[in-house]
């Protein structure tokens, strides 16, 4: 089992391993799985933009997606075969009228989606937003599990087959033109 | 990796004076709480230290330990960020005390409980700020609080990210461990104070401790 901490990107190939990101608040856990070569990966995204910073590519949405794909390709994944899904981006704090405290989560979600769109990638499942923390697990058979505060651990989607096992409602919180611009 | 607190060389003598100030703040809190709830809730400050927010997750009991966080921005002569943190069970016991319930009676943190915990967090934070103001003659005011109840890792990471984005900080905090009550009915809470760049020097200078 590998823990995926803030800004980290972890990968595995074959059987016997799984990846966990514990307690995602405004962060995003982006999971990826190549079912042909059995390579899995997860990156724990913290902020939308790197502004050119190169020290922690997994930390920023604008560098994390490519970083994840590169690392998985290094283990033999075929980038055209990879299935993606993401969870996180919640707004945990309520009551403050300081907008910045409240919108990092949704901004992270939109930034990851925009980056995927710019690479012509459509994620197979998106469980983002809301007001609750999540723990995300990716297993060696492609199950992406999401445990939300107050609820049981559930399989969101299997990234081998892309069968969606838990329906979630994704509410777009930013203007859709911003997503279109990136595509 | 160099960080703000290490750069300005916060020393054990500085921590000791912060602890004295925190004890005065605790005394202020006892008075305020007695006025508000008509009961005496003792408070003590066993320890003051410096920790990075990432490492603080372990202190809270682990990444998935459900915790309460009340956050306030501090405006004034030495701006910064202050937050009060306790576990979910600590928060329920705080609700017991504030709402004059039996110890152990509260089983859920609904709107009433959350609002009185927020009030308690507000009182405690303002008491500490008053203690610092009194000793330093600096003006420090807390803005209305924000509240979170979630996994410790989620709460602390969200807080850390927010602090990094507003003050470009490498989120290191002065932590003040606080015990409310005593004996078998004691609640552990933590204050974390993250000064904006420049603020710690202002406070230490006002305490005549710069270069000490």
């Amino acid at each position: 089992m590998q823990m995926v901490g803030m800004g980290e990107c972890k990968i595995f190939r074959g059987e016997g391993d799984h990846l966990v990101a514990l307690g995602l608040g405004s962060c995003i856990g982006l999971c990826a799985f190549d079912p042909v070569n059995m390579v899995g990966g997860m990156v724990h995204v913290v902020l939308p933009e790197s502004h050119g910073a190169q020290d922690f590519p997994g930390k920023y949405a604008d560098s994390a997606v490519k970083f994840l794909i590169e690392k998985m390709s290094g283990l033999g994944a075929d980038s055209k075969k990879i299935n993606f899904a993401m969870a996180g981006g919640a707004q945990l704090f309520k009551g403050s009228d300081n907008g910045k405290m409240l919108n990092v989560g949704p901004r992270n979600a939109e930034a990851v989606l925009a980056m995927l769109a710019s690479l012509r990638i459509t994620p197979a499942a998106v469980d983002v937003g809301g007001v609750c923390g999540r723990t995300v697990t990716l297993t060696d058979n492609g199950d992406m599990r999401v445990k939300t505060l107050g609820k049981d651990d559930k399989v969101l989607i299997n990234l081998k087959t892309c069968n969606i096992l838990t329906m979630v409602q994704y509410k777009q919180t930013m203007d859709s033109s911003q997503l279109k611009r990136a595509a | 990796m160099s960080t703000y607190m290490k750069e300005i060389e916060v020393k054990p003598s500085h921590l000791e004076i912060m602890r004295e100030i925190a004890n005065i703040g605790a005394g202020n809190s006892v008075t305020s709480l007695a006025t508000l709830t008509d009961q005496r809730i003792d408070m003590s400050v066993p320890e003051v230290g410096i920790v990075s927010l990432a490492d603080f997750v372990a202190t809270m009991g682990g990444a998935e330990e459900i915790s309460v966080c009340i956050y306030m921005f501090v405006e004034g002569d030495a701006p910064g960020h202050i937050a009060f943190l306790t576990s979910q069970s600590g928060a329920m016991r705080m609700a017991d005390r504030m709402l004059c319930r039996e110890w152990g009676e509260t089983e859920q943190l609904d709107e009433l409980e959350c609002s009185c915990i927020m009030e308690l967090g507000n009182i405690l934070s303002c008491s500490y700020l008053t203690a610092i103001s009194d000793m330093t003659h600096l003006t420090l005011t807390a803005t209305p609080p924000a509240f979170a109840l979630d996994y410790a890792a989620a709460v602390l990471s969200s807080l850390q990210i927010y602090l990094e984005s507003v003050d470009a900080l490498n989120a290191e905090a002065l932590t003040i461990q606080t015990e409310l009550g005593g004996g078998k009915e004691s609640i552990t809470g933590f204050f974390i104070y993250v000064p904006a760049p420049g603020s710690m020097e202002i406070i230490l200078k006002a305490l005549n401790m710069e270069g000490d």
Side-chain angles (χ1 to χ4, degrees), chain A:
Chain A
M1 194 255 288
Q2 300 182 61
M3 302 292 300
V4 188
M6 287 172 74
E8 290 183 344
C9 178
K10 301 275 171 81
I11 49 177
F12 62 75
R13 183 173 180 147
E15 289 178 15
D17 204 354
H18 61 282
L19 309 176
V20 183
L22 289 173
L24 294 167
S26 46
C27 295
I28 299 280
L30 174 66
C31 296
F33 195 82
D34 170 350
V36 173
N37 298 292
M38 298 299 280
V39 178
M42 190 192 307
V43 65
H44 185 149
V45 178
V46 176
L47 288 166
E49 282 146 39
S50 60
H51 301 292
Q54 297 188 347
D55 48 354
F56 298 105
K59 190 172 168 182
Y60 310 98
D62 60 6
S63 49
V65 179
K66 285 186 188 160
F67 185 55
L68 174 62
I69 297 171
E70 272 164 29
K71 279 196 87 169
M72 287 174 68
S73 303
L75 269 190
D78 179 348
S79 61
K80 293 189 210 64
K81 301 270 193 275
I82 300 175
N83 296 319
F84 291 85
M86 58 195 269
Q91 301 176 352
L92 299 192
F93 281 88
K94 61 183 181 191
S96 166
D97 46 27
N98 187 333
K100 263 198 192 157
M101 178 149 243
L102 301 181
N103 74 0
V104 181
R107 279 177 56 223
N108 276 337
E110 301 299 344
V112 173
L113 285 167
M115 197 59 215
L116 291 169
S118 74
L119 297 170
R120 304 276 185 268
I121 297 168
T122 305
V126 177
D127 179 9
V128 299
V131 296
C132 295
R134 298 168 172 88
T135 284
V136 173
T137 306
L138 178 68
T139 67
D140 55 6
N141 77 337
D143 278 343
M144 177 183 174
R145 295 206 307 263
V146 179
K147 180 167 82 171
T148 305
L149 182 77
K151 299 193 185 140
D152 294 327
D153 197 5
K154 285 188 192 142
V155 180
L156 172 68
I157 183 170
N158 179 286
L159 288 174
K160 226 195 295 189
T161 59
C162 286
N163 280 344
I164 294 180
L165 287 104
T166 304
M167 292 306 292
V168 289
Q169 204 172 1
Y170 166 50
K171 285 185 198 140
Q172 206 161 304
T173 51
M174 274 164 55
D175 192 63
S176 59
S177 64
Q178 282 167 300
L179 275 181
K180 284 181 193 148
R181 229 192 307 132

Side-chain angles (χ1 to χ4, degrees), chain B residues 13-102:
Chain B
S13 55
H14 299 158
L15 292 182
E16 194 41 50
I17 200 158
M18 290 310 294
R19 192 168 163 277
E20 278 176 38
I21 295 175
N23 263 315
I24 296 170
N28 293 345
S29 302
V30 173
T31 312
S32 306
L33 285 170
T35 314
L36 189 76
T37 64
D38 209 23
Q39 48 176 330
R40 188 187 164 85
I41 303 175
D42 284 324
M43 282 184 54
S44 62
V45 179
E47 215 168 302
V48 171
I50 293 181
V51 79
S52 75
L53 288 186
D55 295 339
F56 202 65
V57 173
T59 311
M60 291 306 296
E64 290 185 313
E65 182 71 33
I66 300 175
S67 311
V68 164
C69 177
I70 297 150
Y71 163 84
M72 280 154 282
F73 178 66
V74 177
E75 297 174 321
D77 297 328
H81 311 263
I82 194 167
F84 178 73
L85 287 125
T86 188
S87 64
Q88 184 183 49
S89 52
M92 291 194 288
R93 303 291 73 79
M94 278 166 70
D96 289 340
R97 294 305 305 261
M98 294 288 281
L99 296 167
C100 297
R101 293 175 180 166
E102 290 295 314

